[in-house]
Amino acid sequence: MQCELCGKEVKNIIKTRVEGVEMNVCEACAKFGMSPKGYSRKPRAVFKNETKQKQAKRPRKDMFDNLKTLVEDYGSLVKESREKKNMTLEELSRAVGIKESLIHKIERNEIEPEEKYVKILEKALGISFYEEGDLNYETSNEDSEFTLGDFIKVKKRK
């Protein structure tokens, strides 16, 4: 008989499992595999079938519930508070360390200021750029059918 691994003609053939394949090999090639006594034909269970009781998941907080939103008229807010303090654009830019052109663009609502600039301007001018996170829901007491407005969150301005 012939060894299926090296191809030698031998009298004694040994059944061996080499890299997952059952082969008839010679004694010299048998060291590369396992004898039939050392393995099982049944595949091992990869996943354990342990029945664990699943813990009840807590509802996650919605990240948008606590999200700060910038006031719509932030530009006029900056301009009014700057004028109340009798400051020019140049004076404000020197005081806070922001370019005069950037402050001018913020006042005209051309650009939305980055968070680092918001904090600096809030501190210097004594104002708040962010809206309150309180949401008030309106409900109707009528016995009418539901409308799309009944499912929408409506923000009330104070």
Side-chain angles (χ1 to χ4, degrees):
M1 295 200 85
Q2 191 175 13
C3 175
E4 293 179 349
L5 198 58
C6 66
K8 287 183 186 176
E9 286 289 332
V10 284
K11 293 181 182 177
N12 294 338
I13 295 290
I14 303 169
K15 275 196 174 202
T16 307
R17 187 173 192 132
V18 179
E19 294 188 16
V21 178
E22 229 176 78
M23 302 178 86
N24 295 323
V25 295
C26 64
E27 286 184 31
C29 294
K31 64 182 178 186
F32 297 115
M34 293 173 55
S35 66
K37 297 173 188 167
Y39 71 90
S40 168
R41 285 184 172 234
K42 294 181 183 177
R44 285 186 293 173
V46 178
F47 301 104
K48 295 181 180 179
N49 291 334
E50 295 178 13
T51 55
K52 292 183 180 178
Q53 292 181 357
K54 292 182 180 179
Q55 296 177 353
K57 291 182 181 178
R58 290 185 223 150
R60 289 185 176 177
K61 290 183 180 179
D62 190 3
M63 65 180 260
F64 296 108
D65 288 343
N66 299 329
L67 189 66
K68 295 179 183 178
T69 54
L70 202 62
V71 181
E72 285 183 31
D73 55 344
Y74 58 89
S76 59
L77 185 66
V78 171
K79 188 173 185 175
E80 288 171 10
S81 59
R82 177 180 59 82
E83 289 172 349
K84 281 182 185 176
K85 293 193 176 223
N86 295 324
M87 297 175 85
T88 63
L89 274 172
E90 187 179 346
E91 292 170 346
L92 180 61
S93 71
R94 277 194 217 135
V96 296
I98 300 174
K99 287 185 177 181
E100 187 178 333
S101 60
L102 180 62
I103 296 173
H104 188 62
K105 287 179 181 179
I106 290 171
E107 284 185 354
R108 290 185 297 173
N109 289 341
E110 287 181 11
I111 60 169
E112 193 172 296
E114 294 178 26
E115 192 169 340
K116 62 182 179 181
Y117 297 132
V118 168
K119 288 179 182 179
I120 294 169
L121 288 170
E122 281 180 338
K123 190 174 182 180
L125 298 173
I127 56 175
S128 177
F129 279 82
Y130 295 109
E131 292 182 23
E132 294 288 328
D134 299 334
L135 298 176
N136 297 323
Y137 300 98
E138 292 182 359
T139 56
S140 59
N141 293 336
E142 301 172 13
D143 290 333
S144 62
E145 294 181 18
F146 286 113
T147 62
L148 186 59
D150 294 328
F151 296 104
I152 298 176
K153 295 179 182 179
V154 180
K155 289 185 180 178
K156 281 189 179 179
R157 269 207 156 154
K158 294 179 181 180

